[in-house]
Amino acid sequence: MRVPLSWLREYVDLPAEATPEDVLAALVRVGFEEEDVHRFELQGPIVVGEVVEFVEEPQSNGKTIRWCQVDVGEEHGGVRGIVCGARNFFVGDKVPVTLPGAVLPGPFPIAARKTYGHVSDGMIASARELGLGEEHDGILRLVELGIDAPVGTDAIALLGLDDAAVEINVTPDRGYALSIRGVAREYSHSTGAAFRDPADRPWDEVAPGSGFPISIDDHAPIRGRAGATEFVARVVRDVDPTKPTPAWMIARLTLAGIRSLGILIDITNYVMLELGQPIHGYDLDKLQGGITVRRARVGEKLETLDGKERALDPEDLLITDDSGPIGLAGVMGGGATEMSGTTRNVLIEAATFDTVSIARTARRHKLPSEASRRFERGVDPLVPFVAARRVADLMVEYAGATSDEEYGGAVFAEVFVAGIELPPLFVPHLIGVDYTPGQIESALRLIGCEVVEAEDDAAGWHVIPPSWRPDLTDKWTLAEEVARIEGYDRIPSVLPLPPSGRGLTAAQQGRRRVANALAAAGYIETPSFGFTTEEQNDLHGSPSGARLPSVKLANPLDGQAPFLRRSLIPGLLQVAHRNVSRGFTDLALFETGVVFLPKPGVAYGTPHVPPLAVRPDAATLAELDGSIPPQHRHVAVLLAGNLVAKQPGVAPVAAELSDALDAVRTIAGAAGVAIDVAQGQRAALHPGRTGVLSVAGTEVGYVGELLPAVAEASDLPGRVVVAEVDLDLVLSLAGEKVVAASLSGFPAATQDVSLVVPADVPAADVRAALVDGAGELLESLRLVDDYRGQGVPEGAKSLTFALRFRASDRTLTAAEATEAKLAGVAAAADRFGAALRE
C-alpha cells in the first residue's frame, strides 16, 4: 500500500517536519513492514509560464517546430525563447516550464542548448515528462486542469509534485490497512496523534434514495455464506466526463501507483484508496432495468473492461441487469455499461461481497485487481453508504454533476459482530509480559473494540471487535493486538528449554551419519526436484525396464516432467549434465531424498478436496493418507570423469565401478550394516558390471556402470558409475544401536587361499562360506583375484582370497590360522564343490 503523506495529513495530525522515513518508523512499530519511499524524481526550477507568441518553422526532416516566446516571470528571467515540437497549445496558454538547472524523471537534466537553429532556454513539459501520467501527445496545458496561477509560480508545489508516499507491506489479515483511513488510524495508534475518521458521517447524509430496483439472488452460496450482503446505489446526473482531474488528485493517485484515467474513474479510484471500499460506476443510460446479484449460469459469458470475453463458472458471482451479466462482482466490471466520454448519468455502486467468492473468481479468471485485493481480505461493512456518498460529492464538485438524492437504492442486512470472552490473565500468560488490566483494556479500546467488564472480576472482559477488523475472531488474535499496540519491544527474548530425552530419532541420526560420511569422502550433495518423466521412471526405477506405476501430478511445475520420481538417478544425471555443460567434468555427487513407489493396481489421489478453514474429521484424514503413495528415502551416488586429476608425476585415474562400491561401503559403515554385493542386472546398467546390494539376505539397492547409450542420452561423456540404496530399509535392518567392536592388541596371522569353483557361482557366496567356516578367529577376508584361463578347467574360475586371523587373548600360531582357513575351505567345498587350486 502506497500512502501519499499529504493525503495522510488530512486524517491524522502528522507533524509538518515529519519525513517519509519518520512515518515508516512509526508504522513499523505497529507491525507493518516498510517497503519503499516514492517521490516525483524531479527538481526545480519548474515554474508556470505563459506563451506570449510562437512561430511555426518547417524543418528539412519534415517536422515542424515552434519557436516560442514564453514569459516565466521577472524573477526567472522574464521572456525566454524555447523550442517546442508539440502543437496542442495556443498563445496565452499557461504551461509548466522547466528552466536550465531543473532535472526531470529519468534523470533528465535541463540546460540551454542549441537546436533547430535556436538556443532553447528551457523546455515546456508534458504530463509524462513531469511524472504525472502517460500522456505525451502534447504539452500539459494548465487550463485543462482548471488552474490559472500567476506567471512564475512554482509548478512543483502547484501540481502536488513535492509530495512523497511511503509504501508498506499489508499482510492478508489486515486488509483494513489498504486504505488511507486504515493507515491513518494505525499511525495514530503508534504516535498518539489525533485521528479523524473520514467514514464518520451521520446516516441522514449517506442514506441513498429509492426507486432503483436491486436484488440479491444467491441460490448457491459458498459454505453457506451469501455472495453479497450489501449493495448501495446512488445516482448523479449531468456529469461532464471531459472535466479535468484536479492536479492534486492526479499527483496522489500517481504516488499511490494508479494511473489517471479521466475524472469519473479517477474519483472512484480515489475513494477506494481513501476508505478501502471498492467502487464501481455504471453508465446509467446503458443499464437495462434494475440490478441483480447472482451466480453465473452454465454457458454464460462476459466481456470485461480489459476487452476479453470470459467463459463464466457457476460459482462466479455476477452483477446483472435485464440484458444479462454486466460485471464480475468485486473483480472487474463489464464493457457494456462502462463509463466513457459520452456518459451523462452515473450509477454509483458500493457493495459488500463474500471474501471467498471474490478470491476464487479472481484466481479462476487470473484477474487480480485493486478491488478484488480488498474484497478478498474483507472490507468494512459499515462503509459502503459513506463511500457512495463520497463519490457522489466528488463528482458534483469536480465533474459538474448533480446528485439525485431521491433516486437510488440499497439492499443490506444488520451487521453483527460476535463478541469474544477474554480472561484477565490470558494475554500476560500468552505473551509473557505483565500487562496490567488497564493496559489491556486501553489497547483494545484504542483499536476500536467495545470492551465490557464482566460482573465477576475473575471473568475478564467481553470484547466486540470493530467492524473493520474481521481478523479478530478469538482471544488469541486479541492478545496479538495488545502485544502490537503495547510494543513488540516489551516482549522478552527467552529461549525455550528443550525437554530432556528429546532429540533426533534413530532414523534421523542414521541419515545424518550417511550424508556426513559421503561428504567427508569427497562427494558433493546435490538436492534436486522430485519430478521426472515416465520413461525415466521405467528405465531407472524398474530392474527390468518394464512399465511400473508412476504418480502423475495434476498441476506439474514442468509439463515435460509431470511424474513423481521412482529413483534418484534421473535427478543426479540432470545435475551431472548441467555441470558438464559448464566445464565441470570430474564429478562425485550424491543425494538423499524421497522416492515415490505406488503399488500396482492402487489408485492414488482423491477426487474430493476438503474445504479450507474446516478441520477434516478422522475418516477424511485417513482417506487423504491412503491417497498418498508409499515414500521411501533413498541415497544415491554418481561418479563421472576422473577420480584423481592429472598432476605432475601422477597420471589421471578415472572413476570406475570399484569406486562406486567404495561409496556403498561408506554408506554401510555409516549405517552400521554389512552390505553384500552379488552380480545382477538392471535395464539402465551395463551387463556384467552391475551388482545387487543386500543386507542379511534382503535386497536394498544396486550399483553399476551406466550403459553407454544411457550416458550418451544425458550428454555425459565417458564412463558413468552409479549406486542407489534404500536408506530407510538399511537403517531399519541396522537396528537402533551400532556397537563398535573392540580392538585386539595381539598380532595378526595372514594367509591366502585360491579356490576353483564353477564360473556361475558368485564370489560373494564363496566368501560367505569361507566366513562361516573359518569362525571367530577370522578378522577380515578380501577377494584379491578372479582368474579364468590356462590351468583352470573350462567353465570354472579361480578365486583368490586374502584372510587375516587374530585372537583377542593370545598370539595365534600358524597351525591355528591354517586350521581355521581349512575349515572355511571345507564349508565352500560342501556348498559349491570348491577345490584348492594347485
Side-chain angles (χ1 to χ4, degrees):
M1 175 67 186
R2 296 185 181 184
V3 183
L5 298 192
S6 65
W7 206 347
L8 189 65
R9 282 189 171 92
E10 291 188 7
Y11 303 118
V12 69
D13 289 343
L14 194 67
E17 68 278 4
T19 65
E21 290 72 22
D22 295 334
V23 175
L24 281 174
L27 294 175
V28 167
R29 284 196 295 271
V30 286
F32 293 102
E33 295 179 11
E34 65 174 281
E35 293 285 338
D36 204 351
V37 174
H38 300 272
R39 297 180 173 89
F40 291 100
E41 300 297 333
L42 45 73
Q43 65 184 46
I46 303 175
V47 300
V48 174
E50 182 178 351
V51 180
V52 177
E53 64 175 347
F54 60 79
V55 177
E56 294 190 348
E57 299 180 353
Q59 304 296 313
S60 59
N61 60 5
K63 183 178 181 180
T64 298
I65 61 99
R66 287 181 174 182
W67 171 237
C68 307
Q69 302 300 312
V70 184
D71 183 6
V72 294
E74 292 299 328
E75 64 273 28
H76 298 292
V79 176
R80 294 185 180 231
I82 298 176
V83 173
C84 184
R87 305 177 67 184
N88 68 314
F89 59 93
F90 308 94
V91 172
D93 275 346
K94 290 184 177 178
V95 293
V97 179
T98 58
L99 300 178
V103 179
L104 296 179
F108 180 58
I110 302 299
R113 63 190 184 95
K114 187 172 183 179
T115 180
Y116 294 109
H118 302 282
V119 175
S120 184
D121 199 13
M123 187 181 80
I124 308 175
S126 68
R128 191 171 74 177
E129 288 165 341
L130 294 173
L132 271 176
E134 297 301 316
E135 180 62 40
H136 196 55
D137 293 337
I139 295 305
L140 177 62
R141 300 171 63 224
L142 298 184
V143 67
E144 294 179 346
L145 299 179
I147 296 175
D148 184 16
V151 169
T153 301
D154 182 3
I156 294 179
L158 181 69
L159 298 175
L161 302 178
D162 55 350
D163 201 359
V166 296
E167 183 175 0
I168 56 175
N169 179 34
V170 177
T171 53
D173 61 326
R174 301 178 72 181
Y176 67 93
L178 291 173
S179 65
I180 304 299
R181 178 196 185 205
V183 176
R185 180 183 282 108
E186 290 298 326
Y187 182 85
S188 172
H189 295 167
S190 176
T191 63
F195 167 67
R196 297 171 292 280
D197 190 351
D200 186 13
R201 299 184 66 170
W203 172 252
D204 58 355
E205 287 186 9
V206 300
S210 60
F212 184 83
I214 302 172
S215 63
I216 298 174
D217 183 17
D218 188 0
H219 293 301
I222 299 176
R223 299 184 194 168
R225 289 165 26 181
T229 53
E230 289 182 310
F231 196 101
V232 181
R234 299 190 74 97
V235 172
V236 293
R237 301 187 184 277
D238 301 323
V239 298
D240 182 358
T242 64
K243 288 271 190 178
T245 301
W248 58 266
M249 186 179 289
I250 294 177
R252 288 181 177 180
L253 289 173
T254 301
L255 282 175
I258 293 183
R259 248 179 345 121
S260 174
L261 297 172
I263 184 63
L264 300 182
I265 297 176
D266 287 350
I267 287 174
T268 60
N269 285 334
Y270 186 84
V271 174
M272 176 185 68
L273 293 175
E274 184 174 75
L275 298 176
Q277 170 67 55
I279 300 288
H280 187 70
Y282 302 88
D283 188 324
L284 181 62
D285 299 323
K286 296 178 182 178
L287 287 174
Q288 299 181 27
I291 281 180
T292 299
V293 183
R294 61 169 173 83
R295 301 287 173 180
R297 300 186 181 114
V298 176
E300 282 190 309
K301 295 183 178 181
L302 170 68
E303 182 179 332
T304 46
L305 287 174
D306 57 2
K308 295 182 180 179
E309 185 176 74
R310 302 181 184 274
L312 302 176
D313 186 274
E315 200 178 69
D316 289 335
L317 191 68
L318 303 180
I319 309 298
T320 68
D321 65 3
D322 292 350
S323 67
I326 58 173
L328 278 173
V331 178
M332 184 175 286
T337 58
E338 68 174 319
M339 297 182 295
S340 65
T342 61
T343 297
R344 291 296 174 264
N345 302 301
V346 174
L347 179 78
I348 302 164
E349 167 212 308
T352 301
F353 297 117
D354 176 51
T355 56
V356 175
S357 288
I358 303 308
R360 289 189 179 182
T361 296
R363 285 157 179 74
R364 182 181 300 112
H365 294 282
K366 297 180 175 60
L367 193 60
S369 64
E370 289 292 332
S372 66
R373 184 184 177 204
R374 286 163 174 80
F375 276 127
E376 64 189 34
R377 286 162 172 78
V379 299
D380 186 352
L382 299 182
V383 163
F385 292 91
V386 177
R389 179 57 190 249
R390 174 71 164 147
V391 170
D393 291 345
L394 290 175
M395 287 188 177
V396 168
E397 183 174 359
Y398 296 107
T402 301
S403 179
D404 189 339
E405 300 295 329
E406 301 300 324
Y407 191 57
V411 174
F412 59 95
E414 181 180 358
V415 176
F416 173 77
V417 181
I420 303 169
E421 302 301 326
L422 182 64
L425 298 180
F426 178 79
V427 176
H429 287 175
L430 180 67
I431 305 301
V433 178
D434 291 330
Y435 299 117
T436 66
Q439 289 173 327
I440 296 173
E441 187 173 342
S442 174
L444 295 176
R445 291 186 186 280
L446 185 64
I447 64 172
C449 292
E450 181 181 338
V451 183
V452 179
E453 292 186 20
E455 295 181 2
D456 182 359
D457 292 341
W461 302 274
H462 180 75
V463 182
I464 300 177
S467 59
W468 58 85
R469 294 298 302 271
D471 58 307
L472 301 182
T473 56
D474 50 41
K475 58 186 178 181
W476 287 274
T477 51
L478 293 179
E480 291 175 357
E481 287 300 294
V482 173
R484 185 174 68 89
I485 296 301
E486 287 295 318
Y488 293 129
D489 56 330
R490 293 189 58 185
I491 302 176
S493 299
V494 179
L495 292 176
L497 295 176
S500 60
R502 302 291 179 88
L504 298 177
T505 64
Q508 290 171 330
Q509 292 175 348
R511 291 196 290 266
R512 288 198 178 186
R513 286 197 308 270
V514 169
N516 289 339
L518 287 172
Y523 289 81
I524 298 174
E525 186 171 13
T526 58
S528 59
F529 287 116
F531 313 121
T532 186
T533 64
E534 192 171 24
E535 291 74 17
Q536 289 293 313
N537 267 345
D538 296 338
L539 180 62
H540 297 282
S542 167
S544 63
R547 177 60 50 87
L548 287 178
S550 297
V551 178
K552 186 175 183 179
L553 299 173
N555 55 342
L557 294 177
D558 182 356
Q560 296 181 341
F563 290 88
L564 294 176
R565 64 187 178 188
R566 293 184 61 95
S567 167
L568 300 180
I569 299 302
L572 288 176
L573 291 175
Q574 289 182 1
V575 173
H577 166 71
R578 190 178 304 114
N579 280 271
V580 168
S581 69
R582 286 158 177 76
F584 299 100
T585 56
D586 300 333
L587 302 171
L589 312 175
F590 85 96
E591 178 180 0
T592 61
V594 171
V595 299
F596 303 85
L597 307 175
K599 298 177 181 178
V602 179
Y604 294 97
T606 175
H608 305 292
V609 178
L612 300 177
V614 178
R615 179 179 176 82
D617 55 24
T620 302
L621 290 174
E623 180 185 356
L624 292 174
D625 288 339
S627 69
I628 302 174
Q631 301 175 45
H632 295 237
R633 188 173 294 274
H634 283 198
V635 58
V637 299
L638 180 147
L639 291 159
N642 292 326
L643 198 64
V644 177
K646 182 179 180 180
Q647 304 170 50
V650 178
V653 179
E656 297 184 347
L657 181 59
S658 60
D659 299 307
L661 284 169
D662 285 340
V664 170
R665 296 186 186 100
T666 299
I667 294 170
V673 297
I675 293 184
D676 298 319
V677 185
Q679 191 171 20
Q681 289 186 344
R682 295 207 47 111
L685 301 184
H686 199 296
R689 299 177 189 173
T690 302
V692 175
L693 308 176
S694 60
V695 174
T698 301
E699 186 175 331
V700 297
Y702 61 90
V703 61
E705 179 183 327
L706 284 182
L707 285 169
V710 175
E712 184 179 353
S714 297
D715 295 326
L716 298 178
R719 180 173 296 174
V720 180
V721 290
V722 297
E724 184 167 12
V725 175
D726 187 332
L727 187 53
D728 285 344
L729 180 57
V730 166
L731 293 175
S732 68
L733 294 172
E736 294 188 0
K737 293 185 178 180
V738 177
V739 180
S742 60
L743 298 177
S744 172
F746 292 94
T750 59
Q751 294 196 17
D752 291 344
V753 63
S754 294
L755 298 177
V756 178
V757 297
D760 60 350
V761 175
D765 292 347
V766 179
R767 181 185 183 279
L770 288 172
V771 171
D772 293 342
E776 295 181 354
L777 293 180
L778 181 63
E779 184 178 75
S780 73
L781 184 150
R782 181 167 50 90
L783 177 67
V784 296
D785 188 37
D786 182 338
Y787 174 73
R788 312 177 194 207
Q790 187 176 0
V792 176
E794 184 74 20
K797 61 183 176 182
S798 173
L799 301 176
T800 301
F801 295 90
L803 299 86
R804 185 170 68 235
F805 299 93
R806 195 191 309 265
S808 61
D809 57 350
R810 69 189 187 282
T811 300
L812 287 178
T813 64
E816 289 177 308
T818 301
E819 182 181 357
K821 178 186 73 173
L822 293 176
V825 172
D830 182 56
R831 295 183 189 179
F832 309 111
L836 286 170
R837 182 182 174 191
E838 297 178 356

